């Protein structure tokens, strides 16, 4: 961190060290300190699980539908393989809260006899469509690799949904933004950073967002 202040790099790359109880590579104390305190983007490199011949799959996660200019600006300065596949993802809080079984949510959506519940559900679905449109418009600020797929609006706990998607779709690199508060950067205002860093089975690029003074 001291060297970064002197030499002003545009990116710091660190590795994961050892494995956790789930067999995933974990961050050592040095790498974790760098990720949480760096004022420049940090790449946490993990061994790629998919074959080298497969296209590089990149998942850009944003905490709002109007993409941060800092993340977009940094990504525009990178070069991606022509075969790379980019996906943009935004996670919103679930209407039904965490831990609600799928069958119970389905029953709630059948509550046609309750006009208040019906109106609430319809408004929620309209908001999701609006957020999808806003996110799609914001993608115009990103490299073309992210314009090949429609943005995803998911519901639930951000960290858990990001990790699940990265596993299900064999993502090679997750890009997340971070909020800088003093010497500590925290993503999405809570535990999302730790969850993604601890459980995502792929490399992670953390781009800090500096709030205006």
């Amino acid at each position: 961190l001291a060297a970064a202040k002197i030499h002003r790099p545009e990116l710091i790359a660190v590795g994961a060290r050892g494995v956790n109880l789930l067999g995933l590579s974990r961050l050592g104390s040095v790498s974790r300190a760098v990720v949480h305190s760096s004022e420049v983007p940090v790449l946490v490199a993990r061994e790629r699980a998919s074959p080298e011949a497969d296209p590089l799959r990149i998942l850009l996660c944003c905490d709002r539908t109007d993409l941060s200019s800092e993340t977009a600006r940094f990504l525009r300065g990178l070069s991606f393989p022509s075969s790379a596949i980019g996906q943009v993802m935004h996670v919103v809080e679930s209407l039904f809260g965490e831990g609600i079984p799928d069958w119970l949510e389905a029953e709630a959506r059948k509550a046609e006899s309750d006009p208040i519940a019906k109106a609430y559900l319809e408004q929620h679905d309209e908001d999701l469509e609006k957020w999808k449109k806003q996110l799609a418009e914001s993608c115009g600020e990103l490299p073309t690799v992210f314009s090949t797929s429609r943005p995803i609006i998911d519901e639930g706990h951000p960290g858990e949904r990001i990790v699940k998607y990265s596993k299900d779709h064999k993502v090679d690199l997750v890009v997340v933004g971070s909020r800088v508060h003093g010497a500590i950067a925290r993503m999405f205002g809570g535990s999302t950073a730790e969850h993604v860093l601890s459980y995502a089975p792929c490399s992670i690029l953390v781009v800090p967002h500096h709030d205006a003074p």
Side-chain angles (χ1 to χ4, degrees):
L1 292 171
K5 288 184 179 295
I6 296 172
H7 300 287
R8 303 181 65 83
E10 295 183 3
L11 174 71
I12 298 175
V14 297
R17 182 179 181 181
V19 295
N20 60 20
L21 296 177
L22 298 178
L24 298 174
S25 56
R26 60 180 175 83
L27 291 183
S29 58
V30 174
S31 295
R32 188 173 296 277
V34 172
V35 170
H36 280 265
S37 302
S38 174
E39 296 182 358
V40 300
V42 177
L43 172 65
V44 178
R46 290 189 169 106
E47 184 177 358
R48 187 180 180 188
S50 56
E52 290 296 325
D54 287 359
L56 184 70
R57 296 184 178 275
I58 308 164
L59 177 64
L60 169 58
C61 307
C62 51
D63 62 347
R64 57 189 183 187
T65 54
D66 55 327
L67 298 177
S68 165
S69 59
E70 292 187 62
T71 299
R73 183 169 58 251
F74 183 77
L75 291 177
R76 285 197 298 268
L78 300 180
S79 297
F80 298 95
S82 59
S83 60
I85 300 173
Q87 185 75 63
V88 180
M89 181 179 190
H90 173 62
V91 182
V92 299
E93 183 178 354
S94 174
L95 176 64
F96 297 93
E98 294 297 322
I100 300 298
D102 292 340
W103 67 267
L104 186 57
E105 179 176 341
E107 287 298 318
R109 287 185 174 275
K110 294 178 182 178
E112 299 290 340
S113 59
D114 186 340
I116 296 179
K118 181 180 179 181
Y120 193 59
L121 288 168
E122 289 177 348
Q123 182 61 52
H124 179 71
D125 291 341
E126 288 178 5
D127 289 341
L128 288 180
E129 290 302 316
K130 179 184 67 176
W131 292 330
K132 287 180 182 178
K133 182 178 179 180
Q134 291 176 347
L135 193 58
E137 292 174 350
S138 297
C139 286
E141 302 178 10
L142 298 172
T144 55
V145 66
F146 294 100
S147 63
T148 57
S149 304
R150 294 190 63 183
I152 299 170
I153 297 289
D154 203 350
E155 297 183 70
H157 182 278
E160 293 177 358
R161 302 309 298 175
I162 291 170
V163 170
K164 184 178 188 306
Y165 186 93
S166 66
K167 291 179 178 178
D168 292 346
H169 294 81
K170 296 180 172 57
V171 171
D172 299 300
L173 174 66
V174 173
V175 182
V176 289
S178 67
R179 292 277 181 260
V180 177
H181 301 296
I184 299 178
R186 296 193 180 277
M187 274 170 274
F188 305 168
S191 60
T192 300
E194 286 300 325
H195 195 90
V196 173
L197 288 167
S198 297
Y199 298 106
C202 58
S203 298
I204 303 167
L205 174 61
V206 183
V207 182
H209 299 168
H210 300 84
D211 295 330

